[in-house]
Amino acid sequence: MRNIYLRKMTNKKEKCGRDKKMQGRLSVWLVKHGLVHRSLGFDYQGIETLQIKPEDWHSIAVILYVYSYNYLRSQCAYDVAPGGLLASVYHLTRIEYGVDQPEEVCIKVFAPRSNPRIPSVFWVWKSLDFQERESYDMLGISYENHPRLKRILMPESWIGWPLPKDYIAPNFYEIQDAH
């Protein structure tokens, strides 16, 4: 009986250890300072991935910049599932003098398809100008307070947003076999 109890306790300790491993350094720091987020684990390269709510994104972006995540490697957006959420993804790097392997983090901000609004963090990382505009143009995510949010790739006359998985091109007719 005692052996079964010890085995259960060992399993609990192992599980807690695994959960700690799933939470990266930045996630631990955010929890310590009471900042709401969700850890999504690590990608195939070992880069920590975090989910931030749209309403919290602007303030957390400023905090990350102050915490030395001063380089935005890229921003992109994608459609999670047909009829589902849209995601805006930010890859940030912590550039510091004398560091060979800079720390990186991936931030994902999800928005509902019915009203895809995410605060623009253009004012934190100026390089986001064209990247947020492209995400707007392709998926229709509205980046609030972006200074020049307008179409960048598609003509102004284009109807809708071409990259959502459930998009149907206007006036599109499949070519049928004519016999």
Side-chain angles (χ1 to χ4, degrees):
M1 196 66 150
R2 185 166 188 256
N3 289 342
I4 293 171
Y5 175 75
L6 289 174
R7 198 173 314 130
K8 285 182 181 178
M9 291 303 291
T10 305
N11 288 341
K12 284 183 182 178
K13 286 180 185 176
E14 287 173 5
K15 186 177 179 184
C16 289
R18 254 185 280 131
D19 290 345
K20 288 245 186 228
K21 288 178 186 175
M22 288 301 293
Q23 194 175 29
R25 194 171 120 178
L26 181 60
S27 182
V28 170
W29 187 87
L30 290 172
V31 168
K32 180 181 172 185
H33 290 87
L35 298 166
V36 179
H37 70 286
R38 179 176 169 219
S39 178
L40 299 176
F42 298 88
D43 70 3
Y44 72 98
Q45 294 178 318
I47 296 172
E48 184 176 9
T49 305
L50 303 175
Q51 178 184 345
I52 308 293
K53 291 181 181 178
E55 57 270 16
D56 298 332
W57 174 224
H58 189 268
S59 59
I60 289 180
V62 171
I63 291 167
L64 291 175
Y65 186 83
V66 170
Y67 190 60
S68 297
Y69 284 94
N70 48 11
Y71 179 63
L72 176 87
R73 289 185 54 216
S74 68
Q75 184 275 335
C76 64
Y78 67 95
D79 187 354
V80 177
L85 298 171
L86 300 175
S88 186
V89 182
Y90 302 81
H91 294 273
L92 306 172
T93 304
R94 189 175 185 179
I95 303 291
E96 294 177 311
Y97 181 74
V99 175
D100 292 340
Q101 294 293 321
E103 191 176 325
E104 298 179 41
V105 67
C106 175
I107 304 292
K108 293 187 177 187
V109 182
F110 295 98
R113 180 183 304 273
S114 60
N115 188 17
R117 295 188 162 298
I118 295 174
S120 174
V121 288
F122 165 81
W123 303 106
V124 180
W125 296 284
K126 298 284 193 223
S127 59
L128 272 173
D129 185 18
F130 291 106
Q131 296 174 37
E132 283 184 342
R133 286 175 61 191
E134 183 179 345
S135 296
Y136 164 74
D137 196 13
M138 295 288 101
L139 289 156
I141 298 173
S142 180
Y143 292 93
E144 297 172 336
N145 297 321
H146 189 284
R148 294 175 289 279
L149 194 61
K150 60 181 182 177
R151 291 206 180 263
I152 190 170
L153 299 171
M154 304 303 291
E156 289 293 332
S157 61
W158 190 270
I159 298 169
W161 320 105
L163 287 186
K165 294 177 180 178
D166 55 359
Y167 178 74
I168 299 171
N171 301 323
F172 175 76
Y173 304 100
E174 282 192 42
I175 298 174
Q176 308 239 345
D177 290 336
H179 293 287

